[in-house]
C-alpha cells in the first residue's frame, strides 16, 4: 500500500443529465431525467434536482413520471455524451498515462506515473497529500472550464478507497482519505459499500449478523470464507481491512458486459423467467452503452435449483446495442433451456464488443424481419399492379438536436398528432423561444450536438 494518496477516482456528476442541462439553458436548475421513454423504458440518469423526488437510475420510467411529473424527460444523445467524455478523458491523460476508464463518465488515474510522479515520490506523506489535493482541484477546474460540467474526485492510496472517497465527495466535491486511516473510514459503513457485495451476498451476511464493514473485519478470514466461498470470502475480508493492491490498468479492453441476479426464491414460472430476462437485458444495454460499445454475441446464463449452471449464446450478424434485439435473443435462448425444478440465477451478457455505432442497421433489419414473419402475403392476383409508396412520417425525439433554416439550432421538446415543438437555444445562449411546426416541415432538420463551450474566435476576428 502507498504512503501517498496518489490514486484518484473521478466520477462526473449525473453525467447524461448534466450534459443535457448544459446544452439546454432552459433546463438548468430544473429536474431532468434521461432514459427510455417507451412504456417499458427505464431511467438512465436523473439530475440532482430530480433525485430529490426519489428518482434514481434503473427505475422504471413510469414510476419516475409519477414521482416527478414536472421533470423534462429526454431520450439519450450518445453522440454528445461521448464527445464530452473524450474531453474529460483527455484531461486525465494529461495528468498520467495510467488512466483506467470504467465508463464514459468514470475513471481511475495513477498520478505517480505522470509528470508529478517524481515530486510525489520525494514528498513526505503530508506534502504528498497536499500536492494530490492541488492536482485534483486543478483537474476539476479544467473540466469545468472546458465543458461546464462538474466532477467528484476521491484520492487515496488504493483504488478501493479512492472510489469510496469519490462517493463521499458527491456532488461536485473532493475527498482525500489519508493512508493508514482506511479501517477507521470503512468500519461504520454498511457491507454494501464494498464493491462486489450485491443483494444476495448482503442477505447471506445479514443472516450471519454481519451488517457493517467493521463486522466483516471482526468476523475474520475463516468465517467469511465459510459463508461466501474461498475466492469471494477472501476478497471481502481484504476489502474490509482496506487492503487493495490492484494497479490502475490503462484503457483496459473489456471482452464482455453482463449483469445477473440471484433470486431468494427459485423461479419456476417460464413467463416470470422471461420477464426477468427482459429486465436484465435492459440493465445490460445501459451498461453497454455507458462504455460506448456494442456487441455481437448475446449470452444467457442460467443456474438451476440444483446449482448446475448452463450458458447459452447466439452470435448475431453484426454488433448491436439495441435493447429489443438483445432481449429477444436472450428470450429465444431461454426457451431452449429446461427450467423444470426452478431457476435460482439468471444472467444476460453481450460479448465480442465493438465500438458503439449510432445507426444500428442490424437492429432495424431484425425488427423488420420479425414484423414480416406475422404478415401473410396477399395472393398475387389480388395485388394491384403498382402501389404508390406510403409516405413515412418523420419522427422526433424529446431532447433531439435540430436546426431550422429560419430560426437556427434548437432541440425537440415533444411531438405528437402531427406536430413537433422545438425550443430554439444553444449552450451559449439564454433560455430560448418555443415554436411548433408540422412534423413534415421541410425547413426543420435533425442535426448534431453543439459543443458545450463556444469555439474560440480566431485572433483578429
Amino acid at each position: 500500500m502507498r504512503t501517498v494518496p496518489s490514486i484518484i477516482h473521478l466520477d462526473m456528476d449525473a453525467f447524461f443529465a448534466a450534459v443535457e442541462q448544459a446544452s439546454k439553458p432552459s433546463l438548468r436548475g430544473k429536474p431532468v431525467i434521461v432514459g427510455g421513454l417507451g412504456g417499458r423504458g427505464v431511467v438512465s440518469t436523473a439530475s440532482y434536482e430530480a433525485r430529490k423526488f426519489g428518482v434514481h437510475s434503473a427505475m422504471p420510467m413510469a414510476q419516475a413520471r409519477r414521482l416527478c411529473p414536472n421533470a423534462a424527460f429526454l431520450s439519450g444523445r450518445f453522440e454528445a455524451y461521448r464527445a464530452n467524455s473524450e474531453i474529460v478523458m483527455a484531461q486525465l491523460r494529461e495528468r498520467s498515462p495510467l488512466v483506467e476508464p470504467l465508463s464514459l463518465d468514470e475513471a481511475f488515474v495513477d498520478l505517480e506515473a505522470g509528470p508529478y510522479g517524481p515530486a510525489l515520490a520525494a514528498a513526505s506523506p503530508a506534502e504528498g497529500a497536499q500536492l494530490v489535493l492541488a492536482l485534483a482541484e486543478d483537474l476539476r477546474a479544467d473540466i469545468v472550464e472546458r465543458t461546464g460540467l462538474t466532477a467528484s474526485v476521491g484520492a487515496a492510496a488504493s483504488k478501493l478507497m479512492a472510489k469510496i472517497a469519490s462517493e463521499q465527495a458527491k456532488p461536485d466535491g473532493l475527498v482525500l482519505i489519508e493512508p493508514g486511516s482506511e479501517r477507521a473510514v470503512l468500519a461504520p459503513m454498511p457491507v454494501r459499500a464494498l464493491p462486489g457485495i450485491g443483494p444476495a451476498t448482503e442477505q447471506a451476511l445479514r443472516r450471519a449478523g454481519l451488517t457493517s464493514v467493521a463486522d466483516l473485519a471482526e468476523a475474520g478470514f475463516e468465517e467469511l470464507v465459510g459463508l461466501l466461498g474461498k475466492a469471494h470470502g477472501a476478497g471481502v475480508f481484504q476489502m474490509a481491512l482496506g487492503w487493495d493492491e490492484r494497479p490502475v490498468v490503462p484503457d483496459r479492453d473489456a471482452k464482455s458486459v453482463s449483469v445477473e441476479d440471484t433470486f431468494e426464491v427459485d423461479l419456476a414460472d417460464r413467463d416470470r423467467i422471461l420477464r426477468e430476462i427482459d429486465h436484465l437485458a435492459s440493465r445490460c444495454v445501459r451498461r453497454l452503452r455507458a462504455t460506448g460499445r456494442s456487441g455481437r454475441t448475446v449470452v444467457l446464463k442460467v443456474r438451476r435449483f440444483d446449482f448446475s449452471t448452463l450458458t447459452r449464446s447466439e452470435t448475431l450478424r453484426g454488433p448491436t446495442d439495441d435493447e429489443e434485439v438483445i432481449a429477444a435473443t436472450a428470450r429465444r435462448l431461454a426457451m431452449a433451456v429446461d427450467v423444470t425444478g426452478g431457476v435460482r440465477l439468471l444472467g444476460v451478457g453481450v460479448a465480442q464488443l465493438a465500438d458503439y455505432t449510432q445507426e444500428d442497421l442490424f437492429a432495424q433489419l431484425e425488427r423488420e424481419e420479425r414484423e414480416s414473419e406475422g404478415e401473410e402475403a396477399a395472393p398475387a392476383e389480388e395485388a394491384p399492379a403498382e402501389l404508390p409508396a406510403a409516405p413515412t412520417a418523420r419522427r422526433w425525439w424529446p431532447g433531439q438536436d435540430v436546426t431550422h433554416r429560419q430560426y437556427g439550432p434548437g432541440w425537440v421538446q415533444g411531438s405528437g398528432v402531427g406536430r413537433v415543438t422545438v425550443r430554439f437555444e444553444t449552450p451559449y445562449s439564454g433560455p430560448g423561444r418555443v415554436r411548433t411546426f408540422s412534423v413534415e416541415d421541410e425547413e426543420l432538420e435533425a442535426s448534431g450536438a453543439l459543443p458545450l463551450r463556444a469555439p474560440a474566435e480566431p485572433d483578429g476576428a
Side-chain angles (χ1 to χ4, degrees):
M1 297 284 288
R2 307 178 183 210
T3 58
V4 173
S6 53
I7 293 179
I8 64 173
H9 178 264
L10 176 137
D11 196 354
M12 301 299 294
D13 298 321
F15 184 55
F16 292 178
V19 171
E20 298 298 344
Q21 289 175 317
S23 299
K24 303 169 173 62
S26 59
L27 298 184
R28 293 171 190 169
K30 299 179 180 178
V32 173
I33 299 172
V34 179
L37 303 183
R40 294 166 59 190
V42 296
V43 175
S44 176
T45 306
S47 69
Y48 284 96
E49 295 86 354
R51 295 181 192 187
K52 294 177 182 178
F53 293 87
V55 180
H56 57 77
S57 299
M59 172 181 287
M61 190 63 77
Q63 183 180 357
R65 289 185 185 275
R66 290 193 296 270
L67 292 172
C68 192
N70 295 322
F73 291 86
L74 308 176
S75 56
R77 297 184 305 132
F78 290 96
E79 175 191 355
Y81 308 150
R82 191 168 191 179
N84 285 284
S85 172
E86 289 172 354
I87 295 172
V88 172
M89 295 301 166
Q91 289 300 306
L92 299 183
R93 293 187 179 95
E94 287 186 8
R95 273 73 181 178
S96 173
L98 294 186
V99 176
E100 182 178 339
L102 304 179
S103 64
L104 289 178
D105 61 341
E106 185 180 2
F108 287 110
V109 184
D110 186 347
L111 295 176
E112 284 189 2
Y116 288 90
L120 290 169
S124 66
E127 293 170 340
Q130 290 301 310
L131 178 54
V132 169
L133 283 173
L135 293 173
E137 285 290 13
D138 285 345
L139 170 64
R140 296 175 65 241
D142 285 347
I143 290 173
V144 170
E145 180 182 350
R146 286 164 174 76
T147 67
L149 305 174
T150 63
S152 297
V153 174
S158 67
K159 291 166 69 172
L160 168 67
M161 300 308 298
K163 169 73 171 174
I164 287 173
S166 70
E167 288 294 327
Q168 295 177 344
K170 283 191 165 292
D172 190 20
L174 169 60
V175 169
L176 182 144
I177 296 177
E178 296 186 0
S181 66
E182 290 86 358
R183 288 194 65 175
V185 172
L186 290 170
M189 293 183 175
V191 295
R192 284 292 294 274
L194 298 180
I197 296 185
T201 302
E202 180 188 26
Q203 288 302 316
L205 295 170
R206 185 178 296 277
R207 285 193 293 269
L210 307 176
T211 60
S212 69
V213 178
D215 294 336
L216 299 179
E218 292 172 5
F221 177 85
E222 296 295 338
E223 183 174 351
L224 292 178
V225 167
L227 286 170
L228 306 177
K230 186 174 182 180
H232 193 25
V236 168
F237 179 64
Q238 287 188 339
M239 288 191 294
L241 299 179
W243 297 347
D244 181 15
E245 295 183 345
R246 293 174 299 159
V248 175
V249 181
D251 295 326
R252 65 179 184 181
D253 188 13
K255 294 182 173 61
S256 65
V257 172
S258 63
V259 295
E260 61 183 43
D261 274 341
T262 301
F263 307 101
E264 292 187 9
V265 178
D266 293 351
L267 305 184
D269 179 68
R270 188 175 289 275
D271 288 341
R272 168 73 188 283
I273 291 171
L274 295 178
R275 288 197 300 271
E276 293 294 339
I277 286 173
D278 286 342
H279 296 321
L280 289 167
S282 177
R283 288 165 50 196
C284 181
V285 167
R286 290 200 303 277
R287 186 172 297 181
L288 183 69
R289 288 176 174 174
T291 65
R293 311 296 294 278
S294 59
R296 191 171 176 221
T297 299
V298 178
V299 181
L300 176 73
K301 178 180 177 181
V302 180
R303 180 166 297 151
R304 297 188 289 194
F305 71 101
D306 58 357
F307 287 88
S308 61
T309 302
L310 304 176
T311 303
R312 299 289 184 267
S313 65
E314 180 178 327
T315 298
L316 309 174
R317 286 169 292 178
T320 183
D321 70 347
D322 186 272
E323 181 179 329
E324 186 176 340
V325 172
I326 292 171
T329 305
R331 288 167 65 96
R332 191 161 57 243
L333 293 169
M335 293 301 293
V337 174
D338 181 9
V339 295
T340 305
V343 170
R344 63 181 294 106
L345 177 146
L346 286 171
V348 173
V350 178
Q352 287 192 294
L353 301 186
D355 286 339
Y356 173 80
T357 51
Q358 187 171 7
E359 289 188 280
D360 197 337
L361 301 179
F362 169 71
Q364 296 176 22
L365 181 60
E366 283 284 300
R367 288 197 197 93
E368 291 170 3
E369 289 182 354
R370 285 199 302 276
E371 292 170 359
S372 65
E373 286 175 0
E375 298 176 356
E376 294 183 2
E381 62 272 19
E382 296 181 6
E386 287 189 11
L387 269 178
T392 302
R394 300 170 75 189
R395 301 192 68 183
W396 305 99
W397 305 100
Q400 180 182 6
D401 294 297
V402 295
T403 298
H404 192 276
R405 292 177 196 169
Q406 179 179 352
Y407 300 109
W411 58 278
V412 175
Q413 281 198 325
S415 65
V417 293
R419 312 293 286 176
V420 55
T421 300
V422 177
R423 185 180 287 273
F424 290 98
E425 59 187 9
T426 72
Y428 346 111
S429 72
R433 294 280 303 275
V434 175
R435 298 182 183 275
T436 300
F437 309 92
S438 164
V439 295
E440 301 300 334
D441 192 320
E442 294 183 356
E443 294 192 336
L444 185 66
E445 297 179 347
S447 62
L450 294 172
L452 298 184
R453 289 301 197 209
E457 293 185 2
D459 293 339

